[in-house]
Amino acid sequence: QKEVEQNSGPLSVPEGAIASLNCTYSDRGSQSFFWYRQYSGKSPELIMFIYSNGDKEDGRFTAQLNKASQYVSLLIRDSQPSDSATYLCAVNGMNRDDKIIFGKGTRLHILP
Amino acid sequence: NAGVTQTPKFQVLKTGQSMTLQCAQDMNHNSMYWYRQDPGMGLRLIYYSASEGTTDKGEVPNGYNVSRLNKREFSLRLESAAPSQTSVYFCASSEHRKNTEAFFGQGTRLTVV
């Protein structure tokens, strides 16, 4: 069974600080990695995707991928109260019958 | 820009009743998914369809059936609802190539009493 592991939190971070969210995955054949944000009562929405080792930056968000260690992380710089949400890590392979597998999510709380 | 449309948004069932959750996408995606989300459990895959006419069990398929009616539609059926199926259900779709994410419907909040 392919697994994606996340710390459930809650992770509390002061406003303006850097929030660091981590995720590990079990399937070495995984090719695509996604971070979703989900506000309470809403659907998940994509924040970033990454598929190459290293860092990928988009505004205040940076995704980091290390395939050798099988982990992916999300950094949120200058954290804002509006960043308070659950962050879901998702992983997909490249085969036709591969499924997108989600972690259980990390609850992030930004302290004003 | 409809994307993924789920119906209904809310539903209350009595134990033993049946119902079908409907999902349709207009993005011409091959892959479609049904997830359930319970507090503290994240998104758990119920069933998956890689293409029209194919379905595959996910992590928690017991008590559910699905039908991939055509490329656009993927329905989830509860034949005899149980309180343990009280949850929020999400339908999603994706195109199967690198870097394409799953797009989600707005969710169905189901309560079985």
Side-chain angles (χ1 to χ4, degrees):
Chain A
Q1 182 86 349
K2 299 176 183 178
E3 294 183 343
V4 177
E5 300 286 343
Q6 294 181 256
N7 188 320
S8 61
L11 175 64
S12 295
V13 174
E15 183 176 356
I18 296 175
S20 177
L21 305 163
N22 299 313
C23 170
T24 60
Y25 59 94
S26 63
D27 183 14
R28 283 195 172 274
S30 299
Q31 295 289 327
S32 302
F33 307 87
F34 308 92
W35 282 101
Y36 285 79
R37 178 176 62 201
Q38 186 178 25
Y39 293 115
S40 181
K42 301 296 186 181
S43 304
E45 56 178 339
L46 183 74
I47 297 175
M48 293 191 71
F49 64 82
I50 186 169
Y51 67 96
S52 296
N53 276 327
D55 295 359
K56 179 181 179 182
E57 186 175 321
D58 184 0
R60 296 188 296 113
F61 300 96
T62 299
Q64 300 175 317
L65 175 61
N66 184 323
K67 287 187 176 181
S69 300
Q70 295 177 241
Y71 85 80
V72 57
S73 62
L74 179 70
L75 302 177
I76 306 175
R77 291 182 299 281
D78 188 22
S79 296
Q80 303 296 310
S82 60
D83 295 326
S84 297
T86 295
Y87 290 79
L88 300 164
C89 174
V91 173
N92 198 4
M94 277 299 292
N95 295 322
R96 181 174 177 77
D97 60 352
D98 282 339
K99 310 171 186 61
I100 298 177
I101 304 297
F102 283 82
K104 293 182 179 181
T106 298
R107 285 186 296 134
L108 175 65
H109 181 52
I110 306 301
L111 303 170
Chain B
N1 294 338
V4 180
T5 302
Q6 285 182 240
T7 55
K9 292 185 180 179
F10 301 94
Q11 183 72 50
V12 178
L13 290 178
K14 293 182 179 179
T15 298
Q17 285 186 317
S18 63
M19 78 160 295
T20 299
L21 280 64
Q22 306 286 353
C23 176
Q25 52 92 8
D26 61 2
M27 295 174 283
N28 202 37
H29 287 165
N30 285 314
S31 300
M32 296 188 74
Y33 308 79
W34 275 106
Y35 295 93
R36 62 176 287 174
Q37 188 172 41
D38 303 294
M41 298 297 291
L43 287 165
R44 291 188 292 170
L45 184 65
I46 305 172
Y47 270 94
Y48 165 68
S49 172
S51 62
E52 180 182 351
T54 68
T55 61
D56 193 13
K57 294 179 179 179
E59 182 185 356
V60 288
N62 291 344
Y64 305 95
N65 286 302
V66 290
S67 178
R68 184 74 182 268
L69 303 169
N70 47 55
K71 194 172 186 179
R72 290 187 65 248
E73 298 172 291
F74 188 38
S75 61
L76 178 72
R77 183 162 178 84
L78 287 70
E79 290 290 352
S80 179
S84 61
Q85 294 177 305
T86 294
S87 188
V88 179
Y89 292 84
F90 287 103
C91 177
S93 71
S94 71
E95 189 49 74
H96 202 84
R97 60 178 183 271
K98 190 183 290 187
N99 294 343
T100 56
E101 75 270 30
F103 293 83
F104 285 84
Q106 74 271 39
T108 297
R109 187 172 295 275
L110 175 67
T111 302
V112 182
V113 297

